[in-house]
Amino acid sequence: MSGRLRVFLGAAPGVGKTYAMLAEGRRLRDDEDLDVVVGLVETYGRRGTEHQLGDLPVLPRRTVGHRGTTLTELDVDALLARRPQLALVDELAHTNAPGGRHPKRWQDVRELLDAGVDVATTVNIQHLESLNDVVEQITGVAQRERIPDEVVRAADRIELVDLSPQALRTRMAQGAIYPPDRIDVALDHYFRAGNLGALRELALLWLADRVEEELADYRARHGIRAPWETKERIVVALNGAPQGEHLIRRGARTATRVHGDLIGVHVRPDDGATVHEPPALAGQRALLHELHGGYIEVDGNDAARALVDFARAESATQILLGPTSRSRLRELVSGSVINRVIRLAGPIDVRVVPPPQPGLLAVPPAPRRRRPAAVPPRRRRLAWLAGPAATAALAWALSPLRDSLALPGALLCLLLVVAATARLGGLLPAAASTAAGALAADYFFTAPWHSLAVTRGADLAALLLFLAVAGIIAHLIDGLTRRSQQADRARAEAAVLARLAGAAVESGARAVPDLIADLRQVFGLEGAVVLVRTGRLWRPTAASGTALPQRPEEASLAVDLGPDAVLALRGPALTEQDTRLLGPYVTQLRLARERERLAAQAAAAETLAHTDALHTALLEAVGQDLRAPLAALRREAADLPGPPGRRIAAEVRRMERLVADLLDLDRLRAGEQPVLLRPTALAPVLAAALATLPAEQGGEQRDVRLALPDGLPPVLADAGLLERALAVVLAGAGRPALVDAGAVAGRIHLRVRAPGPAADGTGLTVARGFVEAMNGELTVEPSPTGGTAYTLDLARAPA
């Protein structure tokens, strides 16, 4: 009988996996009287882990020699001989030293399980093979030790050891995870709050997927077909219609609100015929990917049944359908897909989403000047066919009444057809209908009958008058159509501008992707994209549509959005009125980009402030921890006679000053300590700085020479900070040193020249920080006369 595996899973090192495993081992030993043995545990010197190990029996490790070094590994043979009821084995993803029986520790654990030994182990999420590349992208650190996911998924029990990013960073700062020399690097790199949050989410999602697999397996074993609403899954039916994007966005909003999954489904006919993919389907797939949804294609002649069967297989809770595009006649013959889905869905919710209102979204084209009013192609074709035919047919129908109706009456009746044609198809079809009406009236109502000859002047005048009146009526109707189109255009422009202004007033600048999608639909474009230059390449940051230009040169129209950013549009040429309406969108896009930039700066500032606060806390903790040993050293130095004791005491005082300077510098940068800038004479400050130096550095031997000119103006500085900065510089400079000063371009340069290379280290950093806090600058450069020159550039006090 195989043993059982229990895995303690963590998002990052230091969350407490080993501690939790040891605690569980102690509980099972004490409460359930199990034989628990520690096969291998790495404590890394952590006091809490060592305390939890306590009196648990620990199996000796196997030693392995490798490249002149002795390594220790898990002794599998000893564990198999001992055969405990539970073996505790740390770091499942560990790579064994060469020469062992298995290259990986998880293979050692598998052998123990096959022998019937229960094993408890630990593993971090970054070691899972399927997540290795994602973790490297997040943290920038490649993991060499990897473990197949199926090894961990096969565990009988997986327990997530969770800790919030802030709590983990606090443990790190307190030295509970890594030694002090690694803390700052870890906090600034792998253990950044964003990294830890992303790793924690990965661990939770991975564990949720395993729970979902177990649930699906349980339902399959028990024949449960009805969906369990443990998690919302929204299936969006896509048939390639243009309104599919609207359907996807509606489903994405719903999935976001309920923290559910979004799946787009396209049903292909399963009749063996070659079917071309609808053009809009590619763009809808891209939109699903952008909104973190999935896309599936299924085969089936019955679209409704195939859709519902897929929804049941995926335990979907909702099916979203768009409005039908079938005609009434086809629905009567073939039935309604929507009605069939509703009948077959059972407990699954079915929602029919209405299409977006084009009158509120799309702006109709503006009528062109000195051209007939634009008419939809379908109406125009119908007018070209029906107008002349209806005119001729009406003339033929009225021909039996020629004696009583006469030519003028027939022409009046034909004017009705011309007016209707002008209203239906515009000016040109009305002109054709007018010509057909004149010829038909001549043919049926002028003598000689059934010919195109006109013998009477009155008939000719009537026909010419008919042509003139018909032309005027058609022109007037065309003008009214143009006015109506202009009014529709104005209303649509007003609605768009009101929507833009209302959104800006309500929530500030809109998000760039929303603006791009809105812009493309308003102007009926094939594609719209915001391109940002990165080096020599253009990178899309927000896009909508299928035909997207990759460079500004490929666009029908490119509009500048600021530094290295361009709005690229592809589609029909924009008119002057379209360009005028485009202006507010460009303004909103610029505002949105500016808001994104400010939000990024605010996030960076918040992160920096958090880091500064953490550094301050760490420095204060270090200062507190150093005070006790430094005080002990000072007491020991006082008991030592002669120069050794004095040297140790001097170094202790220097370390104490350095710690105090570091803390004050950090408070200065955090704004917690004020800087009092006042006119300050340099000579007294220099004398005070020299007095703080030990005898070996100029206090008694006076190997620091002052050469300050007479009448040197005072500087605008904080006397205390300036004294401390000078003391640090003089302490680090070589001997003998020369200090001089002079006025340069309205400022005061205080120079310390000393032999030897430039001093480097924490002291110089502290001095530079003090000088910069007084709006000055400290530079270090080789001296023209040899050695090094330290220059303090300070502001001159106003007269």
Side-chain angles (χ1 to χ4, degrees):
M1 181 178 178
S2 298
R4 293 172 297 178
L5 177 64
R6 180 173 181 178
V7 176
F8 291 85
L9 178 67
V15 296
K17 305 179 301 301
T18 305
Y19 185 94
M21 179 183 70
L22 293 172
E24 181 64 10
R26 293 173 64 87
R27 187 191 67 81
L28 293 174
R29 185 198 63 176
D30 298 340
D31 298 347
E32 301 184 19
D33 199 25
L34 290 186
D35 181 17
V36 179
V37 170
V38 176
L40 187 145
V41 162
E42 300 288 357
T43 64
Y44 296 109
R46 299 168 186 170
R47 287 175 293 182
T49 307
E50 292 174 348
H51 174 74
Q52 196 62 253
L53 181 60
D55 58 348
L56 284 173
V58 180
L59 200 69
R61 302 189 186 188
R62 178 175 57 89
T63 59
V64 180
H66 179 61
R67 295 180 180 179
T69 304
T70 301
L71 305 176
T72 60
E73 297 290 354
L74 175 67
D75 194 339
V76 180
D77 292 329
L79 267 178
L80 291 175
R82 174 75 164 72
R83 296 192 65 84
Q85 291 176 289
L86 177 64
L88 307 182
V89 181
D90 207 3
E91 296 186 356
L92 186 62
H94 172 76
T95 300
N96 292 329
R101 61 196 300 157
H102 297 118
K104 293 286 188 177
R105 185 168 292 166
W106 64 264
Q107 295 170 322
D108 295 338
V109 169
R110 177 174 287 177
E111 183 176 350
L112 293 173
L113 295 173
D114 293 339
V117 178
D118 292 351
V119 178
T121 186
T122 64
V123 70
N124 281 330
I125 196 71
Q126 69 261 27
H127 296 300
L128 295 177
E129 185 69 45
S130 65
L131 300 178
N132 189 265
D133 56 341
V134 181
V135 173
E136 182 178 356
Q137 181 183 3
I138 293 171
T139 64
V141 178
Q143 299 293 332
R144 294 188 300 272
E145 294 183 334
R146 306 176 186 179
I147 182 172
D149 287 44
E150 56 268 17
V151 175
V152 182
R153 288 186 183 275
D156 298 273
R157 181 174 177 182
I158 300 177
E159 182 174 332
L160 180 66
V161 182
D162 190 27
L163 195 63
S164 69
Q166 186 56 48
L168 184 56
R169 284 174 60 85
T170 301
R171 289 194 63 200
M172 173 66 73
Q174 292 172 348
I177 301 175
Y178 286 167
D181 59 335
R182 296 177 58 189
I183 291 176
D184 284 342
V185 176
L187 288 174
D188 291 340
H189 292 82
Y190 194 92
F191 282 79
R192 290 200 299 263
N195 291 356
L196 296 178
L199 293 175
R200 187 188 190 197
E201 185 176 2
L202 276 178
L204 291 170
L205 291 175
W206 189 90
L207 193 61
D209 287 341
R210 184 181 184 274
V211 173
E212 186 176 338
E213 291 175 1
E214 292 180 351
L215 181 62
D217 182 62
Y218 175 85
R219 294 179 60 207
R221 290 198 310 269
H222 291 79
I224 301 173
R225 295 179 56 83
W228 285 0
E229 296 188 12
T230 55
K231 184 178 183 180
E232 290 286 341
R233 289 182 178 83
I234 300 169
V235 170
V236 177
L238 302 174
N239 59 0
Q243 60 265 28
E245 286 193 10
H246 173 68
L247 201 63
I248 292 171
R249 294 183 188 278
R250 177 67 68 87
R253 288 196 295 270
T254 304
T256 301
R257 283 195 295 268
V258 298
H259 304 286
D261 295 334
L262 176 67
I263 308 173
V265 180
H266 175 63
V267 180
R268 297 176 302 190
D270 191 17
D271 52 8
T274 302
V275 179
H276 295 287
E277 181 181 277
L281 206 56
Q284 293 166 11
R285 279 199 303 268
L287 180 61
L288 274 168
H289 178 72
E290 180 183 341
L291 297 175
H292 307 290
Y295 175 80
I296 299 293
E297 290 187 357
V298 296
D299 297 328
N301 291 327
D302 188 342
R305 183 169 293 280
L307 180 64
V308 173
D309 289 345
F310 172 83
R312 285 204 184 99
E314 292 293 323
S315 298
T317 56
Q318 295 184 37
I319 298 177
L320 264 62
L321 301 171
T324 182
S325 57
R326 293 185 173 186
S327 62
R328 296 289 182 86
L329 179 61
R330 187 178 176 187
E331 282 195 353
L332 290 174
V333 174
S334 305
S336 169
V337 175
I338 295 177
N339 291 338
R340 279 184 52 76
V341 170
I342 293 174
R343 285 197 298 270
L344 296 172
I348 304 176
D349 295 341
V350 179
R351 297 171 57 195
V352 181
V353 179
Q357 301 180 24
L360 297 178
L361 193 59
V363 175
R368 297 184 178 181
R369 296 178 180 179
R370 300 178 183 177
R371 291 191 181 185
V375 178
R378 185 175 178 182
R379 284 175 48 187
R380 186 169 58 250
R381 288 193 296 267
L382 180 62
W384 274 109
L385 293 174
T391 304
L394 180 60
W396 172 79
L398 294 177
S399 60
L401 304 176
R402 73 167 63 94
D403 292 336
S404 58
L405 193 62
L407 179 61
L411 292 176
L412 285 175
C413 294
L414 294 177
L415 279 176
L416 293 175
V417 180
V418 172
T421 304
R423 181 68 183 89
L424 177 65
L427 189 60
L428 295 180
S433 182
T434 300
L439 292 175
D442 182 16
Y443 188 81
F444 289 109
F445 289 94
T446 61
W449 317 119
H450 303 144
S451 71
L452 298 179
V454 181
T455 57
R456 294 195 309 164
D459 293 342
L460 180 60
L463 291 173
L464 293 176
L465 185 61
F466 168 77
L467 290 173
V469 172
I472 292 172
I473 291 175
H475 182 72
L476 290 175
I477 293 176
D478 180 74
L480 291 174
T481 303
R482 288 174 59 84
R483 298 294 183 276
S484 176
Q485 291 175 351
Q486 290 172 349
D488 291 341
R489 168 82 182 197
R491 282 195 296 270
E493 287 184 2
V496 169
L497 294 175
R499 188 167 64 253
L500 282 174
V505 170
E506 181 180 353
S507 58
R510 297 171 63 187
V512 174
D514 292 341
L515 283 168
I516 291 296
D518 197 5
L519 184 149
R520 184 184 71 83
Q521 292 175 334
V522 163
F523 294 102
L525 301 171
E526 299 174 12
V529 60
V530 174
L531 299 174
V532 176
R533 184 192 292 275
T534 54
R536 297 183 178 180
L537 301 177
W538 290 95
R539 177 176 56 88
T541 58
S544 178
T546 55
L548 299 177
Q550 301 300 314
R551 298 190 306 273
E553 295 79 11
E554 299 176 1
S556 305
L557 178 64
V559 182
D560 180 58
L561 293 179
D564 297 328
V566 170
L567 170 64
L569 308 177
R570 176 177 286 175
L574 299 184
T575 63
E576 180 182 351
Q577 292 86 346
D578 292 336
T579 305
R580 186 177 65 248
L581 183 59
L582 183 64
Y585 275 99
V586 173
T587 302
Q588 283 286 321
L589 283 170
R590 288 172 178 163
L591 290 174
R593 283 181 50 78
E594 180 66 15
R595 186 177 67 168
E596 289 179 353
R597 185 184 66 82
L598 294 176
Q601 290 181 350
E606 183 178 355
T607 303
L608 183 60
H610 178 72
T611 304
D612 288 343
L614 190 62
H615 286 172
T616 300
L618 183 60
L619 282 174
E620 291 179 351
V622 170
Q624 291 290 342
D625 293 341
L626 286 177
R627 284 191 177 94
L630 288 175
L633 280 174
R634 192 188 313 111
R635 289 193 298 269
E636 294 293 333
D639 296 335
L640 288 176
R646 289 196 297 271
R647 283 196 299 269
I648 294 175
E651 289 299 323
V652 169
R653 287 194 298 272
R654 187 180 68 84
M655 286 297 298
E656 289 176 337
R657 284 197 304 270
L658 180 59
V659 170
D661 288 344
L662 282 172
L663 292 175
D664 287 343
L665 177 59
D666 196 68
R667 295 188 187 100
L668 281 173
R669 289 178 173 175
E672 297 176 0
Q673 181 170 321
V675 179
L676 303 177
L677 299 179
R678 295 173 181 173
T680 304
L682 286 178
V685 175
L686 272 168
L690 285 171
T692 63
L693 299 178
E696 291 80 358
Q697 289 189 302
E700 293 179 359
Q701 297 178 5
R702 298 297 178 188
D703 53 359
V704 178
R705 187 165 62 90
L706 302 181
L708 300 181
D710 295 333
L712 182 67
V715 296
L716 190 63
D718 186 311
L721 289 181
L722 182 56
E723 174 191 331
R724 295 168 71 177
L726 285 171
V728 172
V729 172
L730 291 170
R735 294 294 183 269
L738 172 65
V739 181
D740 63 359
V744 178
R747 296 179 69 83
I748 303 298
H749 283 191
L750 179 63
R751 291 175 293 273
V752 178
R753 294 187 177 92
D760 192 11
T762 308
L764 194 60
T765 302
V766 170
R768 183 174 284 112
F770 285 164
V771 174
E772 290 174 353
M774 297 181 290
N775 300 323
E777 183 180 3
L778 172 60
T779 58
V780 182
E781 57 189 358
S783 176
T785 58
T788 307
Y790 305 83
T791 303
L792 282 71
D793 182 349
L794 301 170
R796 180 174 177 174

